[in-house]
Amino acid sequence: MHGKNVELDKVVMRFGGFTAVQQTSLEIRAGEFFSILGPSGCGKTTILRMVSGFIEPSEGRVRIGGDDMGGRGPARRPTALIFQNLALFPLMSNWENVAFGLEARGLDKRTRRERAYELLALVGLEGKEAQRPGALSGGQRQRVAIARALAVEPAVLLLDEPLSALDLKLRQYMRAELKAIQRKTGVTFIFITHDQGEALTMSDRIAVMRAGVVEQVGTTDEIYDRPATPFVATFVGENNVLSGTVAEADAAYARIETPLGPVRARNQDALAAGQRAMVFVRPERASLVNGHDLDNRLTGRFERRDLEGSYVNLFFTVGDQPFIVHEPNLDRQAALEGEVRLGFQADDAVAMRAGALDDA
Amino acid sequence: MRDLVRSYGKTLTTIFVALVCFWVLIMIVLPQAFMIEQSLWTMQRDSALGVKIDRAYADLATMNYDLGNARDESAKTALQAKIDALQAGISDMEQRETKPHKIYGLQNYTAMSGLHFRIFVKSIVYALAVTVLALLVCYPLAFTIAKLATPQRAALLLLGLVIPYAINELLRVYAWLMILDYQGVINSALEALGLVSFQDKTWVPFLEYSGSVFVALIYAYVLFMVFPIYNTVETLDKNQLEAAEDLGGSIWRTHWRVVIPHAKPGIAVGCIMTFMLSVGSYSVPQIMTRGKSGDWFSQLIYRQFFETQSWNLGAAYAFSLVLVCLVFILLMMKLFGVGIRDIAK
């Protein structure tokens, strides 16, 4: 098995008068773990279905390994899809499920059986071959679905939120498992999810989508540390938002007048004085002043403290808006009360052109 | 029972139980029991009895005439004794004629003539053929409505299936009669094309073939096949179809391995209903063949009851048919590996 690259070339998808995917060009590299991240209804599943061949794009081309996929149905593309609900065949045994694709390719029963047993062993399901999917746990069913998809030796494996039905522990375990299988097989994975944690932990690169538009494509670090749009900044990870107007700006930094006072931040969008801007600060980059020398200072009213384990979430109200600070969970924290001085460095804050936020 | 009382109270529970008992007794047990009882006896009737009684009455009249003309007192007494004896004999014979002896046994079941048995087997084979044909017609239809059509179109299609059922079954059969008749719709079309001629009577005699009965039966009972299959196919997860397609499964393989196994209970129910309805159908073969081709077994049963006045034999014939249906049900359940619970769904 080896992966192939997937190319979306100026692809548009319309359903009647509704445009599910605006003109999009994406290049997914061979052997890469690529995630498409976005809220429900953003068009990510539509992209997946265009790649798998269940729908043809209204405009543009889909190429896999350089071959134009136009007019080719799902059966004739080098892809395999893992459905959100897995869509295992409940009336077949697990090995028959895995062997279905081989059956369709006309392999004899002995070869099918051997190959299916091998694949079930690869996903760690020895001894479960003769059972039906209904007898398995959620995580085990997941693996049958993966084995079934791998059986047809796809160059591209498409995963449509396959982990969303699992409970948290299992989900975290399956993330590692999926990643390991991807490394072992070298197949290109395109993973659809609305869970930014999932996307960040597993992917090589991520595309973040909103309302049919890809807002940013980048490595996980790029997406998290240098979000390109206000939506990406708020959808991926948590962010504090301060809105205002640019007072002065140079190539590196901008000073934004906000209702809470002036804030200095990195000038990512080459903002000029007078423009509306938003400043984003990750909670873990903000801190209590406590004698630190910080570029930006705010005064917030302490609301509450939530224990998250290794860190604590401190909730403040600054002006009339919430502001969150993550502090490491160290034993020596003094109890907070009333007005508290908070702050952050200019390098830890990013100013960008005002735009739509994640409203969830 | 206690749960029922707790949930619904004593009054409602009593009503429920009474209704169920009534239903079981009146609708299921009584008619069947009556039929079985009827089928298990024959009257011992002396066919010459009527003649004997007539002759006895003639003798009696002669004796009465002789009695009136007799002069001798002793001869009169002797004649009177004879008359009394004869009258007793007559009343005994009349008794036997109105209330003949019942003889219980399986004689009604073994009495079927070779011809009737051939018709019996033929009817079963025909009903099986109708069932298979109906399945072949209805499965694609049910699948299309359940999985391929948009919801609005599916609703329209289902409505289209149901609307003909607002019309009486007889009228629907007559419609087919008009279509397939010698100078019916199809033959008229063929004549218009110059393929047949009404004048030379070279029309296609559709109604003389069993096929015409098949067509009308399939049409009459199509719903009983479509709906059970539709209901089961409808519950099939569409992703399973897509998964099969994505894995390279052909349409045939997808149906054979995924859809049909899922739809088995519906197919079994549809087959059972269609088989039972067509093997027992009276009006369709009666109207469609108009006596031009052989009787179906259901027509034979009718004749036993209403033409031969032989209710006992009719009951035995009818009950034989019920047994065939029971065997068919068990066979289908075995064949499709479905339990009575799946079917009840």
Side-chain angles (χ1 to χ4, degrees):
Chain A
M1 269 183 261
H2 61 92
K4 285 185 177 170
N5 70 325
V6 177
E7 223 182 311
L8 301 181
D9 185 3
K10 294 184 188 141
V11 158
V12 178
M13 188 68 223
R14 286 187 215 95
F15 296 108
F18 170 70
T19 307
V21 176
Q22 311 272 5
Q23 197 181 78
T24 298
S25 293
L26 267 182
E27 157 93 50
I28 296 153
R29 294 169 198 142
E32 174 174 47
F33 197 124
F34 190 88
S35 290
I36 301 179
L37 172 66
S40 57
C42 71
K44 56 192 191 299
T45 298
T46 307
I47 287 193
L48 195 76
R49 293 178 71 80
M50 285 193 283
V51 175
S52 61
F54 286 109
I55 49 176
E56 288 281 334
S58 314
E59 282 173 32
R61 311 242 132 254
V62 176
R63 279 184 282 271
I64 299 177
D67 297 332
D68 191 338
M69 290 292 127
R72 281 217 231 170
R76 292 173 53 233
R77 295 191 182 197
T79 58
L81 176 58
I82 295 181
F83 291 82
Q84 188 162 11
N85 65 358
L86 307 181
L88 293 173
F89 307 125
L91 300 173
M92 292 183 207
S93 66
N94 292 323
W95 83 262
E96 282 177 302
N97 259 286
V98 174
F100 184 85
L102 307 174
E103 192 183 322
R105 277 160 182 71
L107 272 70
D108 67 88
K109 188 162 180 179
R110 245 193 69 213
T111 320
R112 290 191 326 240
R113 203 187 178 104
E114 269 169 28
R115 188 84 191 95
Y117 274 57
E118 276 170 35
L119 280 160
L120 284 168
L122 174 80
V123 296
L125 283 178
E126 290 105 332
K128 308 275 185 196
E129 294 92 349
Q131 292 180 3
R132 285 185 176 182
L136 301 182
S137 71
Q140 289 172 328
R141 275 203 289 274
Q142 199 91 51
R143 291 185 225 182
V144 176
I146 295 167
R148 185 178 71 172
L150 291 176
V152 298
E153 306 199 352
V156 181
L157 194 65
L158 307 162
L159 302 101
D160 187 5
E161 308 209 26
L163 304 185
S164 56
L166 302 181
D167 61 49
L168 183 65
K169 271 266 156 57
L170 199 53
R171 198 154 64 220
Q172 282 169 343
Y173 174 73
M174 283 309 294
R175 285 179 191 174
E177 195 84 335
L178 273 179
K179 188 80 186 154
I181 289 170
Q182 196 260 336
R183 288 263 179 281
K184 230 186 293 186
T185 58
V187 171
T188 310
F189 273 40
I190 302 181
F191 187 88
I192 297 290
T193 183
H194 64 267
D195 181 334
Q196 41 104 11
E198 235 166 64
L200 289 174
T201 46
M202 290 195 286
S203 319
D204 295 318
R205 290 194 306 148
I206 299 176
V208 183
M209 285 189 76
R210 184 183 72 90
V213 176
V214 174
E215 298 233 328
Q216 188 176 5
V217 182
T219 64
T220 49
D221 286 322
E222 282 166 1
I223 296 283
Y224 190 80
D225 291 331
R226 288 189 292 286
T229 66
F231 174 76
V232 177
T234 44
F235 188 73
V236 181
E238 279 181 279
N239 241 325
N240 293 304
V241 192
L242 303 168
S243 299
T245 312
V246 181
E248 56 177 317
D250 56 33
Y253 297 99
R255 191 164 59 80
I256 309 342
E257 280 302 336
T258 75
L260 311 172
V263 173
R264 209 167 122 77
R266 285 189 289 117
N267 185 3
Q268 176 177 282
D269 287 354
L271 296 168
Q275 281 182 300
R276 297 286 303 158
M278 285 175 170
V279 178
F280 296 92
V281 190
R282 296 274 181 205
E284 68 271 21
R285 301 290 173 89
S287 60
L288 305 180
V289 173
N290 282 346
H292 296 298
D293 180 23
L294 297 170
D295 298 338
N296 299 296
R297 290 172 183 235
L298 304 164
T299 304
R301 197 173 65 254
F302 178 70
E303 298 289 347
R304 69 173 204 277
R305 169 182 179 272
D306 284 359
L307 178 63
E308 290 283 348
S310 59
Y311 64 91
V312 290
N313 261 332
L314 302 174
F315 292 87
F316 299 92
T317 306
V318 178
D320 56 356
Q321 70 178 86
F323 197 95
I324 307 170
V325 177
H326 288 180
E327 288 276 300
N329 185 9
L330 305 174
D331 210 15
R332 48 193 135 84
Q333 267 157 7
L336 293 168
E337 221 179 351
E339 301 282 298
V340 178
R341 297 287 288 161
L342 323 161
F344 51 90
Q345 298 288 26
D347 279 327
D348 289 330
V350 55
M352 55 182 98
R353 201 168 289 116
L357 301 174
D358 171 37
D359 44 19
Chain B
M1 191 65 139
R2 199 175 297 162
D3 286 344
L4 265 182
V5 175
R6 194 177 303 143
S7 319
Y8 295 103
K10 275 199 181 114
T11 323
L12 269 182
T13 305
T14 314
I15 293 173
F16 289 159
V17 172
L19 280 175
V20 170
C21 289
F22 176 82
W23 178 64
V24 169
L25 203 67
I26 303 297
M27 312 283 278
I28 303 174
V29 175
L30 260 180
Q32 298 297 328
F34 178 72
M35 280 295 262
I36 294 170
E37 200 267 341
Q38 283 275 318
S39 74
L40 284 175
W41 52 264
T42 40
M43 299 277 197
Q44 198 201 22
R45 243 199 211 107
D46 187 350
S47 53
L49 203 58
V51 182
K52 276 184 194 162
I53 292 170
D54 286 348
R55 192 174 296 150
Y57 272 115
D59 288 348
L60 193 63
T62 320
M63 283 179 199
N64 277 327
Y65 178 76
D66 288 347
L67 188 65
N69 294 334
R71 313 243 162 79
D72 189 351
E73 204 52 39
S74 68
K76 245 183 186 173
T77 326
L79 212 49
Q80 186 61 51
K82 262 185 175 174
I83 288 172
D84 289 347
L86 191 58
Q87 250 163 355
I90 287 175
S91 65
D92 179 49
M93 279 194 286
E94 279 178 339
Q95 189 78 40
R96 273 200 285 149
E97 195 184 36
T98 49
K99 280 192 179 162
H101 268 351
K102 282 184 186 176
I103 297 174
Y104 281 92
L106 290 173
Q107 58 271 33
N108 290 320
Y109 289 92
T110 51
M112 202 185 276
S113 68
L115 178 65
H116 283 188
F117 186 71
R118 269 207 300 285
I119 294 176
F120 180 60
V121 173
K122 188 191 81 174
S123 295
I124 294 169
V125 171
Y126 279 6
L128 285 174
V130 168
T131 309
V132 171
L133 288 173
L135 179 62
L136 292 180
V137 172
C138 295
Y139 175 80
L141 190 64
F143 180 78
T144 307
I145 300 172
K147 286 292 157 223
L148 303 181
T150 58
Q152 295 100 318
R153 217 168 288 165
L156 279 178
L157 284 170
L158 285 178
L159 200 65
L161 277 174
V162 174
I163 282 175
Y165 283 75
I167 304 164
N168 184 289
E169 180 184 323
L170 290 178
L171 292 179
R172 278 182 284 136
V173 178
Y174 273 114
W176 272 104
L177 190 66
M178 283 184 255
I179 294 169
L180 296 175
D181 215 342
Y182 294 137
Q183 304 196 15
V185 177
I186 296 182
N187 274 319
S188 301
L190 290 177
E191 202 200 23
L193 292 170
L195 295 173
V196 302
S197 155
F198 285 168
Q199 251 176 359
D200 308 340
K201 298 193 176 177
T202 55
W203 51 56
V204 186
F206 291 109
L207 293 178
E208 288 168 29
Y209 306 133
S210 313
S212 65
V213 183
F214 287 12
V215 167
L217 278 175
I218 291 170
Y219 178 70
Y221 302 129
V222 88
L223 271 197
F224 296 93
M225 187 66 102
V226 167
F227 270 109
I229 301 180
Y230 167 79
N231 280 334
T232 46
V233 172
E234 222 267 320
T235 60
L236 179 69
D237 177 13
K238 210 169 181 171
N239 283 352
Q240 299 228 335
L241 297 176
E242 291 195 336
E245 190 188 354
D246 189 49
L247 293 168
S250 62
I251 292 174
W252 298 112
R253 189 175 302 281
T254 304
H255 279 270
W256 184 245
R257 297 283 278 140
V258 180
V259 188
I260 292 177
H262 179 85
K264 264 182 182 177
I267 294 174
V269 171
C271 287
I272 289 170
M273 300 251 249
T274 311
F275 176 80
M276 293 204 297
L277 287 168
S278 34
V279 84
S281 171
Y282 172 77
S283 57
V284 177
Q286 176 75 22
I287 295 170
M288 291 306 284
T289 64
R290 291 184 299 189
K292 297 244 172 192
S293 74
D295 269 357
W296 283 49
F297 196 67
S298 51
Q299 289 166 283
L300 226 50
I301 295 173
Y302 177 85
R303 287 192 210 294
Q304 294 301 329
F305 275 101
F306 298 108
E307 287 177 19
T308 320
Q309 291 289 334
S310 171
W311 281 48
N312 307 93
L313 204 54
Y317 278 20
F319 195 67
S320 304
L321 206 54
V322 171
L323 285 179
V324 167
C325 290
L326 282 176
V327 168
F328 183 78
I329 293 174
L330 293 175
L331 214 67
M332 290 307 283
M333 280 163 60
K334 187 94 187 141
L335 194 66
F336 283 92
V338 293
I340 200 91
R341 270 164 203 266
D342 299 309
I343 288 178
K345 269 194 275 182

